[in-house]
Amino acid sequence: MSMIEKVNELKTKKQEASLGGGQLRIDAQKAKGKNTAIDRIHELYDEGSFIETDAFTESRSMDFDMASKRKAGDGVICGYGRVNGRPVFVASQDYTVLHGSIGEMQAKKIVRTIDMAIKTGAPIVYMLDSDGARVEEGTDVLSAIGELVTKQSMASGVIPQISVILGNCAGVSSLFPALSDFVIMADKTSFMYMNGPQVIESVSGVKVAKEDIGSALVHSKSSGNAHIHCIDENQCINSTKMLLSYLPDNNLSEPFRVDTADQANRATENLYEIISDSYDMKDVINSVTDISTFMEIQPEFGTSIITGFARMNGEAVGIVANNPSVKEGKIDMYASDKASRFVRLLDSFNIPIITFTHTTGYVADASQENKGLIRHVAKMVYAFAEATVPKINVITGKAIGGAFIAMNSKSTGADIVYAYPTASVSIMESDGAANIIFNKQIAQSDDPVAFRKAKIQEYSDRYTSAYEAAKRGYVDDVIDPAFTRTYIIGALEMLRSKRESRPNKKHGNMPL
């Protein structure tokens, strides 16, 4: 066979591979409102930059008529290219091939892609659309999936990993997104669960719909397994691009700075009106950060704490903030989990942490106590104490008790702590403290109500003001809210060369 004939044969094979499970299945995929695996890739990548790898990988299984079902690529398209000019790897499952099921060779193919991403220090995006493990391949597929999740674990904290659920993600396959840094899901088309409705009904007798256990809403609001909740596939892809813009290529590089028209010394006098007993901290965040740069992460989960990315003078930063408009900023187990995981992500990828503190303590709830509130809030303390990136805290309102300690306090390693003149830093609320300290005097006084009120004010003036905390070194400076942005940017510039070591150890034992 001549070279020309060989090349023509190659073209034919590539054309066949590009059709995945065939045109009929492609049409069926699109009829469901879902794009094909290759269409999703082209939407993510800069035009003409994607290069496929391992295109001819096939299943080696011969059992259960698998020899007649195998297809080139084995149900996943892998490769690399550029997203907004930056190198990014991808593994995009093809539902038209055996329902995207993960077989031995598909898993090994993804493992090789992760290996290349680690070697080259580039992020990887997983586009998941699969009904789960390929049962026809028995223990071979179990072993291969084990290798896959192990490789993901090795990549954790080395390169950013983003899972985009664009169909089903069922059974052991759901470990895949759970081991990623971020999970993005879309309404109506994204579903993720370990045990599906049929399994749950067969075991428990309870009938459930997959929307009740695995939808984007469930994982965004209830389980906390999803980080970004989108309307459709297109928004998922756009959110992936936006997320990548805040992340560095790997743990040895710094996040990218961008040019900004926003002024570093821009005053934020609107904060005079925003700050009150109850306000939405997002208004503070949007006022202080570069205009239109705040990207919230997990907005529907653990809502008394806000997490997200933003920019300060063009520099990527991570935001962790109490929200006094939700439960007075009280921290519960869900908010703790949300904050601690995000803090560790920021620390892994050299992204400075800015906290805005207004919390009246931990939530008082018997159910949460029974479910391990102590362990959950300890995660948050651990995460902040462990982090070595620049850490800046702005106390905008109340900072009460152990919750203040957990919110990036000086005692847990904050580099700079600022406070507004209206801030209140205390072991507990003034009225509670006065009741404990002056209990007998209040009871014995001629006018208990007036005496108690006076003692509350006395305690507040003596122990809870921002100036008292500053006197003891727990606050670096009491600042005019109008210049919050200027102070934070100045602190970030000062901390740019920060180096901080930790005791030599294999790893700590985080209270998981």
Side-chain angles (χ1 to χ4, degrees):
M1 189 180 287
S2 69
M3 176 62 76
I4 292 176
E5 290 172 320
K6 287 282 189 182
V7 170
N8 287 335
E9 181 186 33
L10 170 63
K11 289 178 180 178
T12 300
K13 286 182 177 292
K14 287 204 169 187
Q15 178 62 28
E16 289 175 356
S18 70
L19 291 174
Q23 191 61 49
L24 286 177
R25 290 185 178 175
I26 290 174
D27 292 342
Q29 175 90 337
K30 291 188 174 181
K32 295 176 184 176
K34 296 164 62 179
N35 289 328
T36 63
I38 192 63
D39 288 341
R40 291 163 176 165
I41 287 173
H42 289 322
E43 189 177 347
L44 175 67
Y45 280 92
D46 298 347
E47 187 175 355
S49 72
F50 176 68
I51 298 175
E52 187 174 359
T53 57
D54 289 325
F56 296 115
T57 298
E58 287 187 1
S59 170
R60 64 191 183 98
S61 176
M62 304 293 288
D63 299 326
F64 306 105
D65 197 31
M66 281 298 294
S68 66
K69 299 176 183 177
R70 63 178 59 162
K71 297 287 182 181
D74 202 34
V76 67
I77 300 173
C78 295
Y80 59 93
R82 294 193 172 273
V83 176
N84 293 327
R86 293 172 55 196
V88 175
F89 283 79
V90 72
S92 180
Q93 289 179 321
D94 186 351
Y95 195 78
T96 69
V97 177
L98 297 171
H99 292 181
S101 58
I102 300 182
E104 175 200 18
M105 296 309 291
Q106 181 187 129
K108 289 182 179 295
K109 181 174 173 178
I110 299 172
V111 166
R112 289 194 293 272
T113 306
I114 298 173
D115 258 333
M116 286 304 298
I118 294 172
K119 287 178 184 178
T120 59
I124 185 166
V125 175
Y126 310 112
M127 296 181 175
L128 306 179
D129 189 358
S130 166
D131 282 349
R134 195 175 300 163
V135 295
E136 294 92 341
E137 296 189 15
T139 53
D140 286 338
V141 72
L142 278 181
S143 177
I145 291 175
E147 293 175 19
L148 173 54
V149 294
T150 299
K151 185 63 68 175
Q152 264 195 289
S153 301
M154 295 302 102
S156 179
V158 178
I159 55 170
Q161 301 180 80
I162 301 172
S163 282
V164 190
I165 315 295
L166 296 170
N168 287 338
C169 185
V172 71
S173 301
S174 61
L175 292 175
F176 205 5
L179 288 168
S180 300
D181 296 308
F182 297 97
V183 177
I184 301 174
M185 297 183 72
D187 279 330
K188 298 180 181 178
T189 55
S190 299
F191 297 95
M192 176 171 60
Y193 38 76
M194 181 62 74
N195 295 300
Q198 290 180 325
V199 175
I200 291 174
E201 185 177 2
S202 66
V203 172
S204 67
V206 177
K207 215 169 194 177
V208 294
K210 67 178 183 178
E211 288 81 5
D212 298 328
I213 58 171
S215 69
L217 180 61
V218 166
H219 288 302
S220 299
K221 190 173 183 178
S222 301
S223 74
N225 289 327
H227 300 86
I228 299 175
H229 181 181
C230 298
I231 297 171
D232 54 25
E233 282 199 18
N234 290 337
Q235 192 177 51
C236 284
I237 301 299
N238 289 333
S239 294
T240 302
K241 292 180 180 181
M242 179 66 73
L243 200 51
L244 285 167
S245 73
Y246 288 106
L247 298 168
D249 289 337
N250 55 68
N251 65 323
L252 298 179
S253 60
E254 300 293 330
F256 291 90
R257 292 184 70 119
V258 301
D259 293 331
T260 176
D262 204 350
Q263 297 298 311
N265 60 353
R266 170 172 57 82
T268 51
E269 293 180 359
N270 62 315
L271 293 182
Y272 296 156
E273 302 299 324
I274 290 174
I275 302 299
S276 59
D277 290 335
S278 179
Y279 53 96
D280 191 338
M281 191 67 85
K282 293 175 194 175
D283 293 334
V284 177
I285 294 167
N286 283 312
S287 295
V288 169
T289 56
D290 291 358
I291 295 171
S292 300
T293 63
F294 180 54
M295 180 184 189
E296 190 171 2
I297 303 297
Q298 291 187 293
E300 298 167 282
F301 181 72
T303 53
S304 66
I305 277 186
I306 300 164
T307 56
F309 294 102
R311 292 191 181 276
M312 295 292 290
N313 202 28
E315 180 178 355
V317 296
I319 305 289
V320 179
N322 306 115
N323 196 349
S325 69
V326 180
K327 302 177 185 176
E328 297 181 311
K330 284 186 171 69
I331 301 173
D332 63 15
M333 58 193 289
Y334 307 113
S336 297
D337 284 358
K338 170 180 169 178
S340 54
R341 191 177 191 277
F342 191 62
V343 166
R344 298 195 90 202
L345 180 282
L346 298 173
D347 190 49
S348 295
F349 293 113
N350 309 310
I351 301 172
I353 302 168
I354 300 172
T355 52
F356 293 92
T357 299
H358 182 135
T359 177
T360 57
Y362 295 119
V363 68
D365 183 279
S367 173
Q368 293 223 351
E369 291 286 352
N370 291 335
K371 291 176 182 177
L373 177 64
I374 297 169
R375 182 181 73 256
H376 289 274
V377 297
K379 295 177 192 179
M380 194 168 156
V381 175
Y382 189 103
F384 274 116
E386 183 186 48
T388 60
V389 293
K391 295 180 287 187
I392 301 166
N393 186 11
V394 181
I395 305 172
T396 62
K398 293 181 178 180
I400 308 297
F404 164 58
I405 295 173
M407 279 300 298
N408 190 26
S409 61
K410 275 280 188 179
S411 55
T412 56
D415 298 298
I416 296 290
V417 177
Y418 296 123
Y420 290 170
T422 51
S424 173
V425 184
S426 177
I427 191 169
M428 65 189 303
E429 294 269 30
S430 296
D431 55 351
N435 285 342
I436 293 171
I437 297 171
F438 305 109
N439 183 43
K440 288 184 179 179
Q441 292 129 293
I442 292 171
Q444 294 169 359
S445 68
D446 295 332
D447 187 347
V449 174
F451 187 83
R452 179 177 177 274
K453 185 176 180 181
K455 288 302 179 183
I456 290 172
Q457 189 60 51
E458 179 185 335
Y459 184 87
S460 178
D461 293 341
R462 186 171 178 183
Y463 292 108
T464 72
S465 79
Y467 301 105
E468 290 300 319
K471 285 179 185 178
R472 289 164 171 77
Y474 309 138
V475 166
D476 290 290
D477 199 1
V478 181
I479 65 171
D480 181 342
F483 300 106
T484 306
R485 176 174 166 80
T486 305
Y487 275 102
I488 292 176
I489 290 173
L492 287 170
E493 291 292 337
M494 179 271 291
L495 291 166
R496 192 176 301 284
S497 59
K498 177 188 174 183
R499 296 290 181 270
E500 188 174 344
S501 60
R502 289 288 187 265
N504 187 25
K505 56 184 175 182
K506 188 173 182 181
H507 57 72
N509 186 17
M510 190 178 189
L512 299 172

